[in-house]
Amino acid sequence: MAKPRNKIVDYLAYLVLRTLTMFVHMYSWESNYRTARFLGDLLYKAVGRYRRRALAHLKLSFPDWSRERCEQVAQASMRNFVYLGLEVLFTTRLITPGSWRRHITLENQGENLRLMLQRKCGMIYLTGHFGNWEVVGYTMAALGFPNTAVARPLDNPYINRYMLGVRQTNGMTIVDKEGATRDIDGLLDSKGAVCFIADQDAGRRGCFVDFFGRKASTYKSIALLAMRHNVPIFVGYGRRLDEQYHFALGVHRAIHPDQWADKDDPMRWITQEYTTALEEIIRTAPEQYLWGHRRWKHRPPGEEPTPDGIA
């Protein structure tokens, strides 16, 4: 049973966020990113658990890297996570039908946008904890391509309500991942687009596939949805280009139903394909990946847990 939350503490945290938002809009990009960089570096030094986990993951994922390089990328990873929080506060003002071109470059988006326009079939869009994953769905919605993202609500109800208002401004809908199956089935049946963050640990019952040379528990539901509705999967990204709110939004891999039709285990094949695509995206800019999240938390049956207990 979840521990009861303190409403006063939650509301105070909400007030701090709103105050921070006010100050963020008072200063230039240079000042905001400089402050975010400082906070990211401070958090990297202060949050030892995150630092140790990120370094362990990087060392296992890039065994040929030096300790110094792992530390540089781990620190940049925390810095980029703080950048994400900053950028979310600006998104509704900067990503509009009339101004998005100043901030967004589209890469290899022709096929998925054409399918969304034609509405001949539903589609599943996947990304990971890389770059700015929030800007991807929001930009598509601002361009006139409504989509639905599946996400876990934030623990603080006041902040969750505020952030939902920010994220759902232009036609993007957020549904709770718990009990969302019926909503998602209906959306895909009506030829809509559904978005997932697809690099989260799925527990002991997940499908274990290769990710940076190690088995990672991955949700089966995405592949099963694609198979049940016979819809394509697009694996994409929102890669940060600089510290001036510029992003490349692209599709790295498209997985179509005819590609898995003859596979002996299509669910596992699909899951491995999109996980490999996410790995390839991350390798283009590893400093933009959230290395401190517990992607390898659960191990396959019979495999010993990670000795340091932080995977």
Side-chain angles (χ1 to χ4, degrees):
M1 182 179 296
K3 183 180 179 181
R5 299 190 62 81
N6 187 314
K7 292 184 178 180
I8 295 176
V9 172
D10 281 346
Y11 192 71
L12 287 174
Y14 165 72
L15 290 179
V16 169
L17 174 63
R18 296 305 303 268
T19 302
L20 176 63
T21 303
M22 177 186 69
F23 280 108
V24 161
H25 288 291
M26 290 171 59
Y27 293 95
S28 67
W29 274 118
E30 291 78 8
S31 297
N32 280 308
Y33 271 107
R34 187 162 56 245
T35 302
R37 175 185 283 263
F38 170 78
L39 290 175
D41 292 345
L42 183 65
L43 286 172
Y44 178 73
K45 294 176 181 177
V47 186
R49 180 178 296 180
Y50 178 95
R51 183 176 64 252
R52 290 189 297 272
R53 185 183 300 143
L55 288 171
H57 288 170
L58 282 163
K59 188 59 181 175
L60 290 169
S61 300
F62 300 94
D64 58 327
W65 280 13
S66 66
R67 172 77 181 186
E68 181 181 13
R69 186 173 183 187
C70 288
E71 289 179 345
Q72 289 173 347
V73 172
Q75 184 170 352
S77 171
M78 174 62 86
R79 192 182 297 151
N80 276 272
F81 185 59
V82 179
Y83 289 170
L84 171 70
L86 167 69
E87 290 156 356
V88 166
L89 301 179
F90 276 97
T91 296
T92 56
R93 294 191 179 189
L94 299 180
I95 304 300
T96 68
S99 65
W100 68 270
R101 288 183 178 85
R102 302 173 195 166
H103 307 283
I104 302 296
T105 300
L106 299 181
E107 299 179 345
N108 196 31
Q109 294 270 11
E111 183 181 9
N112 61 308
L113 296 184
R114 184 169 62 252
L115 284 176
M116 293 175 76
L117 278 172
Q118 296 172 344
R119 293 187 69 87
K120 290 184 177 180
C121 66
M123 59 169 282
I124 295 173
Y125 190 98
L126 307 181
T127 189
H129 290 91
F130 173 84
N132 187 324
W133 54 89
E134 292 286 345
V135 78
V136 176
Y138 190 90
T139 299
M140 293 299 103
L143 294 179
F145 301 98
N147 59 85
T148 298
V150 180
R152 186 182 74 84
L154 301 175
D155 293 331
N156 185 318
Y158 303 105
I159 294 179
N160 184 64
R161 192 177 305 119
Y162 171 65
M163 294 307 298
L164 280 178
V166 171
R167 298 166 81 187
Q168 298 185 133
T169 301
N170 276 342
M172 182 180 180
T173 302
I174 311 294
V175 298
D176 189 342
K177 65 184 295 184
E178 296 297 330
T181 303
R182 182 178 301 178
D183 292 335
I184 296 170
D185 282 330
L187 285 165
L188 292 175
D189 284 338
S190 61
K191 300 178 175 55
V194 181
C195 308
F196 293 90
I197 301 291
D199 62 341
Q200 295 171 314
D201 179 86
R204 293 182 178 85
R205 296 185 179 182
C207 178
F208 285 89
V209 295
D210 293 328
F211 186 58
F212 283 94
R214 288 173 287 157
K215 295 295 182 183
S217 177
T218 309
Y219 284 102
K220 303 173 183 177
S221 55
I222 294 172
L224 294 175
L225 275 170
M227 293 163 60
R228 183 162 66 246
H229 294 276
N230 205 42
V231 297
I233 296 172
F234 293 90
V235 188
Y237 55 86
R239 187 175 64 252
R240 186 177 293 103
L241 298 177
D242 55 28
E243 295 182 353
Q244 292 290 321
Y245 200 91
H246 294 128
F247 304 94
L249 271 57
V251 170
H252 180 75
R253 172 84 160 90
I255 308 171
H256 292 280
D258 61 342
Q259 295 175 306
W260 69 68
D262 62 346
K263 305 302 179 185
D264 294 334
D265 188 347
M267 184 276 294
R268 180 173 295 278
W269 183 86
I270 294 168
T271 306
Q272 182 63 74
E273 285 295 301
Y274 74 67
T275 301
T276 298
L278 288 173
E279 177 180 332
E280 291 168 351
I281 289 169
I282 294 163
R283 287 182 180 276
T284 66
E287 72 282 356
Q288 294 194 33
Y289 189 59
L290 189 63
W291 290 103
H293 89 290
R294 305 188 70 181
R295 182 64 187 95
W296 293 272
K297 177 180 178 180
H298 290 92
R299 312 311 310 137
E303 183 176 315
E304 293 294 323
T306 303
D308 56 19
I310 62 171

Coordinates of all heavy atoms in Angstrom, one line a residue, residues 187-257:
L187 N -8.3 3.6 -29.3 CA -7.5 4.6 -30.2 C -6.9 4.0 -31.4 O -7.0 4.5 -32.5 CB -6.4 5.2 -29.3 CG -6.8 6.3 -28.3 CD1 -5.7 6.5 -27.3 CD2 -7.2 7.6 -29.0
L188 N -6.4 2.8 -31.3 CA -5.8 2.1 -32.4 C -6.9 1.6 -33.4 O -6.7 1.7 -34.6 CB -4.9 0.9 -31.9 CG -3.6 1.4 -31.2 CD1 -2.9 0.1 -30.7 CD2 -2.7 2.2 -32.1
D189 N -8.0 1.2 -32.8 CA -9.1 0.8 -33.7 C -9.6 1.9 -34.5 O -10.1 1.8 -35.6 CB -10.2 0.2 -32.9 CG -9.9 -1.2 -32.4 OD1 -9.1 -1.9 -33.0 OD2 -10.5 -1.7 -31.4
S190 N -9.6 3.1 -33.9 CA -10.1 4.3 -34.6 C -9.0 5.0 -35.4 O -9.1 6.2 -35.8 CB -10.7 5.3 -33.6 OG -9.7 5.7 -32.7
K191 N -7.8 4.3 -35.6 CA -6.7 4.7 -36.5 C -6.0 5.9 -35.9 O -5.6 6.8 -36.6 CB -7.2 5.0 -37.9 CG -7.8 3.8 -38.6 CD -8.3 4.1 -40.0 CE -8.8 2.8 -40.7 NZ -9.8 2.1 -39.9
G192 N -5.9 5.9 -34.6 CA -5.1 7.0 -33.9 C -3.7 6.6 -33.7 O -3.2 5.5 -34.0
A193 N -2.9 7.6 -33.1 CA -1.5 7.4 -32.8 C -1.3 7.3 -31.3 O -1.8 8.2 -30.5 CB -0.7 8.5 -33.4
V194 N -0.6 6.3 -30.8 CA -0.3 6.1 -29.4 C 1.2 6.1 -29.2 O 1.9 5.5 -29.9 CB -0.9 4.8 -28.9 CG1 -0.7 4.6 -27.4 CG2 -2.4 4.7 -29.2
C195 N 1.6 6.8 -28.2 CA 3.0 7.0 -27.9 C 3.4 6.4 -26.6 O 2.7 6.5 -25.6 CB 3.4 8.5 -27.8 SG 2.8 9.4 -29.3
F196 N 4.6 5.7 -26.5 CA 5.1 5.1 -25.3 C 6.6 5.5 -25.1 O 7.3 5.6 -26.1 CB 5.1 3.5 -25.5 CG 3.7 2.9 -25.5 CD1 3.1 2.7 -26.7 CD2 3.1 2.5 -24.4 CE1 1.8 2.1 -26.8 CE2 1.8 1.9 -24.4 CZ 1.2 1.7 -25.6
I197 N 7.0 5.5 -23.8 CA 8.4 5.5 -23.5 C 8.7 4.0 -23.3 O 8.2 3.4 -22.4 CB 8.6 6.3 -22.1 CG1 8.2 7.7 -22.3 CG2 10.1 6.2 -21.8 CD1 9.1 8.5 -23.2
A198 N 9.6 3.5 -24.1 CA 9.7 2.0 -24.2 C 11.0 1.4 -23.6 O 11.3 0.3 -23.9 CB 9.6 1.6 -25.7
D199 N 11.6 2.2 -22.8 CA 12.9 1.7 -22.2 C 12.8 1.6 -20.7 O 13.7 1.9 -20.0 CB 14.1 2.5 -22.6 CG 14.0 4.0 -22.1 OD1 12.8 4.4 -21.7 OD2 15.0 4.6 -22.0
Q200 N 11.6 1.1 -20.2 CA 11.5 1.0 -18.7 C 11.5 -0.5 -18.3 O 11.0 -1.3 -19.0 CB 10.1 1.6 -18.3 CG 10.1 3.1 -18.5 CD 8.7 3.7 -18.3 OE1 7.7 3.2 -18.8 NE2 8.7 4.8 -17.6
D201 N 12.1 -0.7 -17.1 CA 12.1 -2.1 -16.6 C 10.7 -2.7 -16.4 O 9.9 -2.0 -15.8 CB 12.9 -2.1 -15.3 CG 13.0 -3.5 -14.7 OD1 13.9 -4.2 -15.1 OD2 12.1 -3.9 -13.9
A202 N 10.5 -3.9 -16.9 CA 9.2 -4.5 -16.9 C 9.0 -5.5 -15.8 O 8.0 -6.3 -15.8 CB 8.8 -5.1 -18.3
G203 N 10.0 -5.7 -14.9 CA 9.9 -6.6 -13.9 C 10.3 -8.0 -14.3 O 10.8 -8.3 -15.4
R204 N 10.1 -9.0 -13.3 CA 10.5 -10.3 -13.6 C 9.8 -11.0 -14.7 O 10.2 -12.0 -15.3 CB 10.3 -11.1 -12.3 CG 11.3 -10.7 -11.2 CD 11.1 -11.5 -9.9 NE 12.0 -11.1 -8.9 CZ 11.8 -10.1 -8.0 NH1 10.7 -9.4 -8.1 NH2 12.7 -9.8 -7.1
R205 N 8.5 -10.6 -15.0 CA 7.7 -11.2 -16.0 C 7.9 -10.6 -17.4 O 7.2 -10.9 -18.3 CB 6.3 -11.2 -15.6 CG 6.0 -12.1 -14.3 CD 4.5 -12.1 -14.0 NE 4.3 -12.9 -12.8 CZ 3.0 -13.2 -12.4 NH1 2.0 -12.6 -13.0 NH2 2.9 -13.9 -11.3
G206 N 8.8 -9.6 -17.5 CA 9.0 -9.0 -18.8 C 9.7 -9.8 -19.8 O 10.1 -11.0 -19.5
C207 N 9.7 -9.3 -21.0 CA 10.5 -10.0 -22.1 C 11.9 -9.6 -22.0 O 12.2 -8.4 -22.3 CB 9.8 -9.7 -23.4 SG 10.7 -10.5 -24.8
F208 N 12.9 -10.5 -21.8 CA 14.3 -10.1 -21.6 C 14.9 -10.1 -23.0 O 15.0 -11.2 -23.7 CB 15.0 -11.0 -20.7 CG 14.6 -10.8 -19.2 CD1 13.6 -11.4 -18.7 CD2 15.4 -9.9 -18.5 CE1 13.2 -11.2 -17.3 CE2 15.1 -9.7 -17.2 CZ 14.0 -10.3 -16.6
V209 N 15.3 -8.9 -23.4 CA 16.0 -8.8 -24.7 C 17.3 -8.0 -24.5 O 17.6 -7.4 -23.5 CB 15.1 -8.0 -25.7 CG1 13.9 -8.8 -26.1 CG2 14.7 -6.6 -25.2
D210 N 18.2 -8.1 -25.5 CA 19.5 -7.4 -25.5 C 19.4 -5.9 -25.6 O 18.7 -5.4 -26.4 CB 20.4 -8.0 -26.6 CG 20.8 -9.4 -26.4 OD1 20.8 -9.9 -25.3 OD2 20.9 -10.1 -27.4
F211 N 20.1 -5.3 -24.6 CA 20.2 -3.8 -24.6 C 21.6 -3.4 -24.1 O 21.9 -3.7 -23.0 CB 19.1 -3.2 -23.8 CG 19.0 -1.7 -23.8 CD1 18.8 -1.1 -25.0 CD2 19.1 -1.0 -22.6 CE1 18.6 0.3 -25.0 CE2 19.0 0.4 -22.6 CZ 18.7 1.1 -23.8
F212 N 22.4 -2.9 -25.0 CA 23.8 -2.6 -24.7 C 24.5 -3.8 -24.1 O 25.3 -3.8 -23.1 CB 23.9 -1.4 -23.7 CG 23.7 -0.1 -24.3 CD1 22.4 0.5 -24.3 CD2 24.7 0.6 -24.9 CE1 22.2 1.7 -24.9 CE2 24.5 1.8 -25.5 CZ 23.3 2.4 -25.6
G213 N 24.3 -5.0 -24.8 CA 25.0 -6.2 -24.4 C 24.6 -6.9 -23.2 O 25.2 -7.9 -22.8
R214 N 23.5 -6.5 -22.6 CA 22.9 -7.2 -21.4 C 21.4 -7.4 -21.6 O 20.8 -6.6 -22.3 CB 23.2 -6.3 -20.1 CG 24.6 -6.3 -19.7 CD 24.8 -5.3 -18.6 NE 24.7 -3.9 -19.0 CZ 24.4 -2.9 -18.2 NH1 24.1 -3.1 -17.0 NH2 24.3 -1.7 -18.7
K215 N 20.9 -8.4 -20.9 CA 19.5 -8.6 -21.0 C 18.7 -7.6 -20.2 O 19.1 -7.3 -19.0 CB 19.1 -10.0 -20.5 CG 19.7 -11.1 -21.3 CD 19.1 -11.2 -22.7 CE 19.6 -12.3 -23.5 NZ 19.0 -12.3 -24.9
A216 N 17.7 -7.0 -20.7 CA 16.9 -6.0 -20.1 C 15.4 -6.4 -20.1 O 14.9 -6.7 -21.2 CB 17.1 -4.6 -20.7
S217 N 14.8 -6.4 -19.0 CA 13.3 -6.7 -18.9 C 12.5 -5.6 -19.6 O 12.6 -4.4 -19.3 CB 12.9 -6.9 -17.5 OG 11.5 -7.1 -17.4
T218 N 11.7 -6.0 -20.6 CA 11.0 -5.1 -21.5 C 9.5 -5.5 -21.6 O 9.2 -6.6 -21.6 CB 11.6 -5.1 -22.9 OG1 13.1 -4.9 -22.8 CG2 11.1 -3.9 -23.7
Y219 N 8.7 -4.5 -21.6 CA 7.2 -4.8 -21.6 C 6.8 -5.5 -22.9 O 7.2 -5.1 -24.0 CB 6.4 -3.5 -21.5 CG 6.4 -2.9 -20.0 CD1 7.2 -1.9 -19.7 CD2 5.6 -3.5 -19.1 CE1 7.2 -1.4 -18.4 CE2 5.6 -3.0 -17.8 CZ 6.4 -2.0 -17.4 OH 6.4 -1.5 -16.1
K220 N 6.0 -6.5 -22.7 CA 5.5 -7.3 -23.8 C 4.3 -6.6 -24.5 O 4.0 -6.9 -25.6 CB 5.0 -8.7 -23.3 CG 6.1 -9.5 -22.6 CD 5.5 -10.8 -22.1 CE 6.5 -11.6 -21.3 NZ 5.9 -12.8 -20.7
S221 N 3.6 -5.7 -23.7 CA 2.4 -5.1 -24.2 C 2.5 -4.3 -25.5 O 1.5 -4.3 -26.3 CB 1.8 -4.2 -23.1 OG 2.8 -3.2 -22.7
I222 N 3.6 -3.7 -25.8 CA 3.7 -2.9 -27.0 C 3.7 -3.8 -28.2 O 2.9 -3.6 -29.2 CB 5.0 -2.1 -27.0 CG1 5.0 -1.0 -25.9 CG2 5.3 -1.4 -28.3 CD1 6.2 -0.3 -25.6
A223 N 4.5 -4.9 -28.2 CA 4.5 -5.8 -29.3 C 3.1 -6.5 -29.4 O 2.6 -6.7 -30.6 CB 5.6 -6.9 -29.1
L224 N 2.5 -6.8 -28.3 CA 1.2 -7.5 -28.4 C 0.1 -6.6 -29.0 O -0.7 -7.0 -29.7 CB 0.8 -8.0 -27.0 CG 1.7 -9.1 -26.4 CD1 1.3 -9.4 -25.0 CD2 1.6 -10.4 -27.3
L225 N 0.2 -5.3 -28.6 CA -0.7 -4.3 -29.2 C -0.6 -4.2 -30.7 O -1.5 -4.2 -31.5 CB -0.5 -2.9 -28.6 CG -1.2 -2.6 -27.2 CD1 -0.7 -1.3 -26.7 CD2 -2.7 -2.5 -27.4
A226 N 0.7 -4.1 -31.1 CA 1.0 -4.0 -32.6 C 0.5 -5.2 -33.3 O -0.1 -5.1 -34.4 CB 2.5 -3.8 -32.8
M227 N 0.7 -6.4 -32.7 CA 0.2 -7.6 -33.4 C -1.3 -7.7 -33.4 O -1.9 -8.1 -34.4 CB 0.8 -8.8 -32.6 CG 2.3 -9.0 -32.7 SD 3.1 -10.0 -31.5 CE 2.2 -11.6 -31.8
R228 N -1.9 -7.4 -32.3 CA -3.4 -7.5 -32.2 C -4.1 -6.5 -33.2 O -5.1 -6.9 -33.7 CB -3.8 -7.2 -30.8 CG -5.3 -7.4 -30.5 CD -5.7 -7.5 -29.1 NE -5.4 -6.3 -28.3 CZ -4.5 -6.2 -27.3 NH1 -3.8 -7.3 -27.1 NH2 -4.4 -5.1 -26.6
H229 N -3.5 -5.3 -33.3 CA -4.2 -4.3 -34.2 C -3.6 -4.3 -35.6 O -4.0 -3.5 -36.4 CB -4.2 -3.0 -33.5 CG -5.0 -2.9 -32.2 ND1 -6.3 -2.7 -32.3 CD2 -4.6 -3.1 -31.0 CE1 -6.8 -2.7 -31.0 NE2 -5.8 -3.0 -30.2
N230 N -2.5 -5.0 -35.8 CA -1.8 -5.0 -37.1 C -1.4 -3.6 -37.5 O -1.7 -3.2 -38.6 CB -2.7 -5.7 -38.2 CG -2.0 -6.3 -39.3 OD1 -0.9 -6.9 -39.1 ND2 -2.4 -6.1 -40.5
V231 N -0.7 -2.9 -36.6 CA -0.3 -1.6 -36.9 C 1.2 -1.5 -36.9 O 1.9 -2.2 -36.2 CB -0.9 -0.6 -35.9 CG1 -2.4 -0.6 -36.0 CG2 -0.5 -0.9 -34.5
P232 N 1.8 -0.5 -37.6 CA 3.3 -0.3 -37.6 C 3.8 0.4 -36.3 O 3.0 1.1 -35.6 CB 3.5 0.6 -38.8 CG 2.3 1.4 -38.9 CD 1.1 0.4 -38.5
I233 N 5.0 0.2 -36.0 CA 5.7 0.8 -34.9 C 6.8 1.7 -35.4 O 7.6 1.3 -36.3 CB 6.3 -0.2 -33.9 CG1 5.3 -1.1 -33.3 CG2 7.2 0.4 -32.9 CD1 5.8 -2.3 -32.5
F234 N 6.8 2.9 -35.0 CA 7.9 3.9 -35.4 C 8.7 4.2 -34.1 O 8.2 4.6 -33.1 CB 7.3 5.2 -36.0 CG 6.6 4.9 -37.3 CD1 5.3 4.6 -37.3 CD2 7.3 5.0 -38.4 CE1 4.6 4.4 -38.5 CE2 6.7 4.8 -39.7 CZ 5.3 4.5 -39.7
V235 N 10.0 4.0 -34.2 CA 10.9 4.3 -33.1 C 11.6 5.6 -33.4 O 12.4 5.8 -34.4 CB 12.0 3.2 -33.0 CG1 12.8 3.4 -31.7 CG2 11.3 1.8 -33.0
G236 N 11.4 6.6 -32.5 CA 11.9 7.9 -32.8 C 12.6 8.6 -31.7 O 12.9 7.9 -30.7
Y237 N 12.9 9.9 -31.8 CA 13.7 10.6 -30.8 C 13.5 12.1 -30.9 O 13.0 12.6 -31.9 CB 15.2 10.3 -31.1 CG 15.6 10.7 -32.5 CD1 16.0 12.0 -32.9 CD2 15.6 9.7 -33.5 CE1 16.4 12.3 -34.1 CE2 16.0 10.0 -34.8 CZ 16.4 11.3 -35.1 OH 16.7 11.6 -36.4
G238 N 13.9 12.7 -29.8 CA 13.9 14.2 -29.7 C 15.3 14.6 -29.3 O 15.5 14.7 -28.0
R239 N 16.3 14.7 -30.1 CA 17.7 14.9 -29.8 C 17.9 16.4 -29.6 O 17.6 17.2 -30.5 CB 18.6 14.3 -30.8 CG 20.1 14.4 -30.5 CD 21.0 13.7 -31.5 NE 20.9 14.4 -32.8 CZ 20.3 13.9 -33.9 NH1 19.7 12.7 -33.8 NH2 20.4 14.5 -35.0
R240 N 18.5 16.8 -28.5 CA 18.8 18.2 -28.3 C 20.0 18.6 -29.1 O 21.1 17.9 -29.1 CB 19.1 18.4 -26.8 CG 19.4 19.8 -26.4 CD 19.6 19.9 -24.9 NE 18.4 19.6 -24.1 CZ 18.2 18.4 -23.5 NH1 19.2 17.5 -23.5 NH2 17.1 18.2 -22.9
L241 N 19.9 19.7 -29.8 CA 21.0 20.2 -30.7 C 21.9 21.2 -30.1 O 23.1 21.3 -30.5 CB 20.4 20.7 -32.0 CG 19.6 19.8 -32.8 CD1 19.0 20.5 -34.0 CD2 20.4 18.6 -33.3
D242 N 21.4 21.9 -29.1 CA 22.3 23.0 -28.5 C 21.6 23.4 -27.2 O 20.6 22.8 -26.7 CB 22.5 24.2 -29.4 CG 21.2 24.8 -29.9 OD1 20.2 24.7 -29.2 OD2 21.2 25.3 -31.0
E243 N 22.1 24.5 -26.6 CA 21.5 25.1 -25.4 C 20.7 26.3 -25.7 O 20.7 27.3 -25.0 CB 22.6 25.3 -24.4 CG 23.3 24.1 -23.9 CD 24.3 24.3 -22.8 OE1 24.6 25.5 -22.5 OE2 24.9 23.4 -22.3
Q244 N 19.9 26.2 -26.8 CA 19.1 27.4 -27.3 C 17.7 26.9 -27.7 O 17.0 27.5 -28.5 CB 19.7 28.1 -28.5 CG 21.0 28.8 -28.1 CD 20.7 30.1 -27.2 OE1 19.8 30.8 -27.4 NE2 21.6 30.3 -26.3
Y245 N 17.3 25.7 -27.1 CA 16.0 25.1 -27.4 C 15.8 24.8 -28.9 O 14.9 25.2 -29.6 CB 14.8 26.0 -26.9 CG 13.5 25.3 -26.8 CD1 13.2 24.7 -25.6 CD2 12.7 25.1 -27.8 CE1 12.0 24.0 -25.4 CE2 11.5 24.4 -27.7 CZ 11.1 23.9 -26.5 OH 10.0 23.2 -26.4
H246 N 16.8 24.0 -29.4 CA 16.7 23.5 -30.7 C 16.8 22.0 -30.7 O 17.7 21.4 -30.0 CB 17.8 24.0 -31.6 CG 17.7 25.5 -31.8 ND1 18.7 26.4 -31.6 CD2 16.7 26.3 -32.3 CE1 18.4 27.6 -31.9 NE2 17.1 27.6 -32.3
F247 N 15.9 21.3 -31.4 CA 15.9 19.8 -31.3 C 15.7 19.2 -32.7 O 15.1 19.8 -33.6 CB 14.7 19.3 -30.5 CG 14.7 19.9 -29.1 CD1 14.0 21.0 -28.8 CD2 15.4 19.3 -28.1 CE1 14.0 21.6 -27.5 CE2 15.4 19.8 -26.8 CZ 14.7 20.9 -26.5
A248 N 16.3 18.0 -32.9 CA 16.0 17.2 -34.1 C 15.0 16.2 -33.7 O 15.3 15.4 -32.8 CB 17.3 16.6 -34.6
L249 N 13.8 16.2 -34.3 CA 12.8 15.1 -34.1 C 12.8 14.2 -35.3 O 12.5 14.7 -36.4 CB 11.4 15.8 -33.9 CG 11.0 16.2 -32.5 CD1 12.1 17.2 -31.9 CD2 9.7 16.8 -32.5
G250 N 13.1 12.9 -35.0 CA 13.1 12.0 -36.2 C 12.7 10.6 -35.9 O 12.4 10.3 -34.7
V251 N 12.6 9.9 -36.9 CA 12.2 8.4 -36.9 C 13.5 7.7 -37.3 O 14.0 7.9 -38.4 CB 11.1 8.1 -37.8 CG1 10.9 6.6 -37.9 CG2 9.8 8.7 -37.2
H252 N 13.9 6.8 -36.4 CA 15.1 6.0 -36.7 C 14.8 4.6 -37.3 O 15.5 4.1 -38.1 CB 15.9 5.7 -35.4 CG 17.1 4.9 -35.6 ND1 18.3 5.4 -36.1 CD2 17.4 3.6 -35.2 CE1 19.2 4.5 -36.1 NE2 18.7 3.4 -35.6
R253 N 13.6 4.1 -37.0 CA 13.3 2.7 -37.4 C 11.8 2.6 -37.5 O 11.0 3.0 -36.6 CB 13.8 1.7 -36.4 CG 13.4 0.2 -36.7 CD 14.3 -0.4 -37.7 NE 14.2 -1.9 -37.6 CZ 13.3 -2.7 -38.3 NH1 12.4 -2.1 -39.1 NH2 13.4 -4.0 -38.1
A254 N 11.3 2.0 -38.6 CA 9.9 1.7 -38.8 C 9.8 0.1 -38.8 O 10.5 -0.5 -39.6 CB 9.3 2.3 -40.1
I255 N 8.9 -0.4 -38.1 CA 8.6 -1.9 -38.0 C 7.2 -2.1 -38.5 O 6.2 -1.7 -37.8 CB 8.9 -2.4 -36.6 CG1 10.2 -2.0 -36.0 CG2 8.7 -3.9 -36.6 CD1 10.4 -2.3 -34.6
H256 N 7.1 -2.8 -39.6 CA 5.7 -3.0 -40.2 C 5.3 -4.5 -40.0 O 6.1 -5.4 -39.8 CB 5.8 -2.7 -41.7 CG 6.0 -1.3 -42.0 ND1 5.0 -0.4 -41.9 CD2 7.1 -0.6 -42.3 CE1 5.5 0.8 -42.2 NE2 6.8 0.7 -42.4
P257 N 3.9 -4.7 -40.0 CA 3.4 -6.0 -39.7 C 3.9 -7.1 -40.6 O 4.1 -8.2 -40.2 CB 1.9 -5.8 -39.9 CG 1.6 -4.4 -39.5 CD 2.9 -3.6 -40.0

